[in-house]
Amino acid sequence: MPLRYVVLRHDSPRGLHWDLMLEQGDALATWSLVEPPSAAAVEATPLPDHRMAYLEYEGPISDGRGSVSRWDRGTYLCKHWEADQIVAVLTGEVLQGEIILRRSRGNPARWTLTYVPLAAGRAAE
């Protein structure tokens, strides 16, 4: 069964970044990205789980933490979810393809995200 995801553009006092949020049970597993998902490896920092409300929310965030706007949303099918690697196929408004999140061996607090777009005419497996 597909789960939901969202990528939010987060303009915050610490600077512009993007938040990738993947539905997991009753919360959103979240990573802060230095730039939107792309074929080049993008630095990803895990954040605490977020509330499900962020699947739909756009606007200011309390306590002066900036504001968010939706960059993409859709559903995903999880192919692999382990402590050091997550692989999922996204079907979104912007992203249509596979994401690979990998934990850094040298620094377990850092991850990288790589986006692999689906080839034209190829369906998600």
Side-chain angles (χ1 to χ4, degrees), residues 64-93:
R65 292 178 290 153
S67 63
V68 294
S69 59
R70 192 175 311 108
W71 185 83
D72 188 26
R73 71 171 164 191
T75 60
Y76 76 97
L77 292 171
C78 185
K79 292 174 74 175
H80 179 82
W81 193 299
E82 297 294 331
D84 294 331
Q85 181 172 291
I86 299 165
V87 180
V89 177
L90 304 182
T91 304
E93 295 171 359

Side-chain angles (χ1 to χ4, degrees), residues 33-124:
L33 310 175
V34 297
E35 60 187 67
S38 70
V42 173
E43 183 180 320
T45 303
L47 298 174
D49 288 350
H50 281 58
R51 294 176 287 132
M52 297 293 281
Y54 281 104
L55 287 169
E56 300 297 329
Y57 183 76
E58 293 185 272
I61 302 175
S62 63
D63 300 326
R65 292 178 290 153
S67 63
V68 294
S69 59
R70 192 175 311 108
W71 185 83
D72 188 26
R73 71 171 164 191
T75 60
Y76 76 97
L77 292 171
C78 185
K79 292 174 74 175
H80 179 82
W81 193 299
E82 297 294 331
D84 294 331
Q85 181 172 291
I86 299 165
V87 180
V89 177
L90 304 182
T91 304
E93 295 171 359
V94 175
L95 301 172
Q96 299 278 324
E98 186 173 84
I99 59 165
I100 303 157
L101 275 159
R102 286 192 184 102
R103 185 187 308 262
S104 169
R105 289 180 190 210
N107 182 352
R110 292 280 181 216
W111 292 65
T112 56
L113 177 135
T114 304
Y115 170 63
V116 181
L118 287 177
R122 184 176 149 217

